[in-house]
Each structure stands twice: as C-alpha cells, then as structure tokens.
C-alpha cells in the first residue's frame, strides 16, 4: 500500500494520500487548496489516478482543495451525509463503505467538533479529522459543535476500536505525526474524564480565539460544489427536457452512481448503470457502438455527470448531455 502523510505548515493540516499500488487508483483525505499543485505532482510521480477526495468535515481554518482537485483530475468529492447538500458529489452514511481499487474505508459519524464530522476507518488505521487529535480533541464551540456529542463520538465509537489502531488526525500543532487508540486513552488529558458532563466542562472552559481564516474558510468551503449554473454549461438538461427525451425514446440514460447510493436513493427507470469510476473503461470499450447514441448521464447532484460530459469530449463523443441537479432534482 502507498500511504503518504502530507503537511500544510500554514494551517497545520495533515492530508493523506492512499493507494493500493503504484499505477492504481488513489484517494486523498482533507486536502488544502494551496497544496493542490503538490498533490498533483505527487500523483503524477507515483502514476496514480485520483478517483476520490474526502473532507472529514467543513473546515474553518483553511480552504479545502476538494473542488480544485475535482476540476483538475475529474475525481468524486465525498463527505458524510450531514455535510451541507451541495458541497460534494457523493454523501455517505454512518457505517457505509468508501471504496477505491484495493482499499475500503468505513465511514463513522463522529459529531461534536462540528455536526458534520466523520472519521474513516481503514483496517488498522483511523482518520479522525478534528474529532480526536494527538493528546487533544477538536474544539466544540462553533459550527454546531457539541461537547456532549463529541464525548459519545470519542468514548462510544473511537475508543472502542482496538487499542493498537493508528490515529491519523487532520491537524497537529506540536509536531506529532501519529498515535494509537491505546496511547490516547492513556495519555490524552481530555480523555481522563468519567462522564460527559465532566468532558463538557473542560471543553466549555477553553478560551480560544476563532481561527484566523474562519470568516473566509467556512462560507467558501460550503460553496465548493458545482452550482446548477455551472452544471448547465456542460450540456446540462433540465428535468423536463430529460423527461421529454425519455418519452420520445430518444436517449440512453446512464446512471453514474455507486450501488449503495442507488439502493438508498432509487433510480430512473430504464437507465443503465456505469459507476463514474468505470466510465473511462466503458467509453473505451463502447466508443464505436455509442457514437451515434444520445447519451444522458445522471448522478446524485449533477457533478459527476457534468464531469462525465467533459470526459466524453476527450473521446470525441458528441450528442452527450447530463441531468442538471441529478436524481435529487428529478425526485423534487
Ligand atoms: Fe476543524
């Protein structure tokens, strides 16, 4: 496995790049916008194809690199389901799997630092975002944070993991790189409490300045999704326009979502399933057969389908459209 821990010294953020092999698919967790060139260079050097990028929560201290990476590498952006609706192209629920080639992560809903905080468990490693830090925990005084929720996320979820599990946090301000569940249980001063009340008392008595970037970072990070207007520019069609094409039996509908999303959200009748990840292969194999077909892509919120249209252009396919706003707009 390839595992790289990358650091942004301005916001003290750790970003993780993971892949199962050189030349394969890759995943990035908590990228920082200003480091995008660095990530892309590293992906190129390791011959990796970035397919998913995750934010553990809406960050307040830096602008996330997920949108820039999406636009430059055509990857799927992903957060937990409690993240604002239009930030990412794919949401996952508590306990749902996040898969790329040879790698599987389990999403754990661990609110408290913010109400949209998720951790991601990968075998003997857990990416804890700002929920559990090395010898610390993420503050709980803004973005709907709650010390009580965090107590339960810590004591009922993360600390229940095997004690040799490695902890990979989203930040460290003292130069520590990695810890373990057992080590934190023993030495993290915030975890030496016997009740949620006691924990809340500690957290509510921290007197902390707001992060310097907060007023810029939070609103920017909530708007990283592709707007409906932007989606329209990539041969976007409205629900009414797609319905008309279906009624006239005038198109081939392609659903780009993954099985878990289709199970949860349902799909449009008559569509065929080609997950976004597999689209390059699909286009490569079927290019000749589909060159005269009118393809209409759709996904969860319209981002992956907009990227799919762009991808098709590199295969010189015309007659390609996509549904603006995805299945979400369709069901509305
Ligand atoms: Fe944070």
């Amino acid at each position: 496995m390839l595992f790289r821990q990358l650091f942004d010294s301005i916001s003290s953020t750790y970003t993780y790049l993971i892949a199962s092999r050189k030349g394969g698919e890759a995943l990035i967790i908590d990228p920082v916008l200003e480091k995008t060139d660095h990530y892309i260079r590293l992906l190129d050097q390791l011959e990796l194809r970035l397919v998913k990028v995750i934010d553990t929560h809406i960050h307040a201290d830096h602008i996330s690199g997920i949108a820039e990476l999406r636009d430059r590498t055509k990857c799927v952006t992903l957060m937990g389901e409690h993240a604002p609706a239009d930030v990412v192209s794919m949401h996952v629920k508590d306990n749902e799997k996040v898969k790329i080639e040879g790698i599987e992560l389990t999403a754990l809903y661990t609110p408290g630092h913010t109400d949209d905080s998720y951790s991601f468990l990968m075998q003997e490693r857990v990416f804890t975002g700002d929920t559990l830090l090395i010898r610390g925990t993420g503050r709980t005084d803004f973005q709907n944070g709650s010390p009580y929720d965090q107590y339960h996320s810590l004591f009922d979820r993360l600390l229940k993991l095997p004690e040799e599990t490695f902890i990979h946090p989203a930040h460290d301000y003292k130069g520590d790189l990695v810890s373990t569940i057992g080590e934190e249980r023993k030495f993290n001063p915030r975890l030496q409490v016997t009740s949620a009340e006691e924990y809340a008392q500690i957290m509510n008595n921290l007197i902390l300045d707001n992060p310097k970037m907060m007023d810029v970072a939070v609103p920017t990070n909530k708007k990283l999704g592709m707007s409906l207007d932007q989606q329209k520019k990539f041969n976007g069609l409205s629900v009414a326009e797609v319905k008309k094409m279906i009624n006239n039996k005038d198109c081939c509908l392609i659903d780009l979502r993954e099985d878990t999303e289709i199970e949860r959200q349902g799909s449009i009748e008559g569509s065929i399933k080609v997950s976004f990840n597999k689209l390059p292969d699909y286009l490569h194999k079927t290019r000749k057969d589909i060159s005269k077909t009118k393809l209409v892509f759709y996904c969860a919120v319209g981002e992956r389908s907009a990227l799919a249209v762009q991808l098709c252009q590199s295969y010189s396919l015309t007659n390609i459209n996509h549904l603006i706003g995805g299945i979400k707009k369709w069901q509305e």
Side-chain angles (χ1 to χ4, degrees):
M1 190 180 68
L2 288 160
F3 180 87
R4 297 286 182 273
Q5 181 177 26
L6 306 161
F7 187 58
D8 172 52
S9 56
I10 295 167
S11 60
S12 297
T13 301
Y14 286 135
T15 299
Y16 300 93
L17 176 107
I18 306 157
S20 62
R21 64 177 177 94
K22 191 177 173 185
E25 294 183 352
L27 169 92
I28 289 182
I29 299 176
D30 286 332
V32 175
L33 176 64
E34 289 78 8
K35 294 282 170 181
T36 307
D37 285 341
H38 181 75
Y39 307 142
I40 290 189
R41 199 177 315 123
L42 185 57
L43 288 162
D44 283 347
Q45 288 168 347
L46 300 175
E47 296 164 27
L48 297 172
R49 183 163 78 94
L50 183 65
V51 294
K52 282 193 178 134
V53 57
I54 297 176
D55 263 345
T56 50
H57 62 289
I58 295 282
H59 295 281
D61 54 359
H62 65 272
I63 295 173
S64 164
I66 59 169
E68 182 78 7
L69 284 168
R70 171 199 67 210
D71 293 340
R72 288 175 63 177
T73 69
K74 313 270 180 287
C75 67
V76 174
T77 54
L78 186 149
M79 289 182 79
E81 66 167 342
H82 301 77
D86 301 327
V87 178
V88 285
S89 59
M90 182 173 176
H91 286 88
V92 289
K93 274 173 125 72
D94 187 32
N95 284 320
E96 213 166 87
K97 306 289 182 209
V98 177
K99 291 178 189 169
I100 66 162
E101 178 197 357
I103 305 270
E104 187 177 282
L105 277 65
T106 305
L108 306 176
Y109 181 41
T110 50
H113 169 59
T114 64
D115 61 353
D116 62 3
S117 289
Y118 272 69
S119 299
F120 292 88
L121 178 67
M122 184 178 77
Q123 290 173 332
E124 75 289 2
R125 302 169 190 268
V126 63
F127 302 93
T128 53
D130 291 356
T131 302
L132 177 55
L133 305 173
I134 299 172
R135 309 296 191 267
T137 55
R139 61 195 295 175
T140 54
D141 56 336
F142 52 66
Q143 290 177 275
N144 302 319
S146 153
Y148 292 94
D149 288 351
Q150 195 171 47
Y151 177 87
H152 292 296
S153 296
L154 291 164
F155 285 87
D156 300 336
R157 299 293 306 265
L158 296 175
L159 295 183
K160 294 257 157 85
L161 295 170
E163 61 177 38
E164 59 277 14
T165 310
F166 290 112
I167 294 170
H168 300 290
H171 294 287
D172 191 83
Y173 306 94
K174 308 171 301 293
D176 290 317
L177 301 173
V178 65
S179 182
T180 64
I181 290 288
E183 202 179 303
E184 290 311 307
R185 195 185 284 144
K186 227 168 160 180
F187 301 115
N188 189 322
R190 302 249 175 104
L191 303 182
Q192 311 310 310
V193 293
T194 51
S195 67
E197 281 70 30
E198 199 185 330
Y199 183 72
Q201 213 167 21
I202 297 178
M203 297 309 284
N204 291 336
N205 286 316
L206 300 173
I207 296 157
L208 300 165
D209 292 334
N210 278 346
K212 282 187 218 95
M213 287 275 293
M214 185 166 165
D215 295 339
V216 181
V218 173
T220 306
N221 287 336
K222 282 184 176 171
K223 285 201 199 99
L224 292 176
M226 222 188 261
S227 70
L228 299 183
D229 280 342
Q230 275 172 289
Q231 291 181 19
K232 197 175 175 182
K233 288 181 195 149
F234 302 105
N235 300 349
L237 298 174
S238 67
V239 170
E241 287 170 312
V242 173
K243 275 194 173 154
K244 203 171 153 194
M245 287 174 85
I246 296 172
N247 287 339
N248 295 340
K249 299 193 168 47
D250 197 18
C251 65
C252 169
L253 268 178
I254 297 187
D255 187 342
L256 298 169
R257 293 169 301 155
E258 299 189 7
D259 291 342
T260 46
E261 298 175 276
I262 296 172
E263 271 165 37
R264 185 151 34 95
Q265 301 161 331
S267 56
I268 303 174
E269 212 186 301
S271 49
I272 61 168
K273 206 172 71 182
V274 182
S275 74
F276 181 74
N277 228 358
K278 303 272 181 313
L279 187 64
D281 277 353
Y282 176 80
L283 293 175
H284 203 72
K285 280 187 201 136
T286 58
R287 181 161 35 167
K288 282 198 192 102
D289 309 325
I290 59 174
S291 61
K292 291 196 180 66
T293 315
K294 280 187 194 166
L295 296 184
V296 178
F297 293 114
Y298 74 98
C299 58
V301 291
E303 278 198 25
R304 274 170 277 179
S305 55
L307 297 176
V309 170
Q310 296 171 59
L311 207 67
C312 282
Q313 286 161 356
S314 62
Y315 284 83
S316 308
L317 289 165
T318 48
N319 264 336
I320 311 292
N321 291 94
H322 82 108
L323 172 62
I324 299 168
I327 193 94
K328 188 172 166 241
K329 264 271 171 298
W330 177 271
Q331 286 170 342
E332 277 169 21

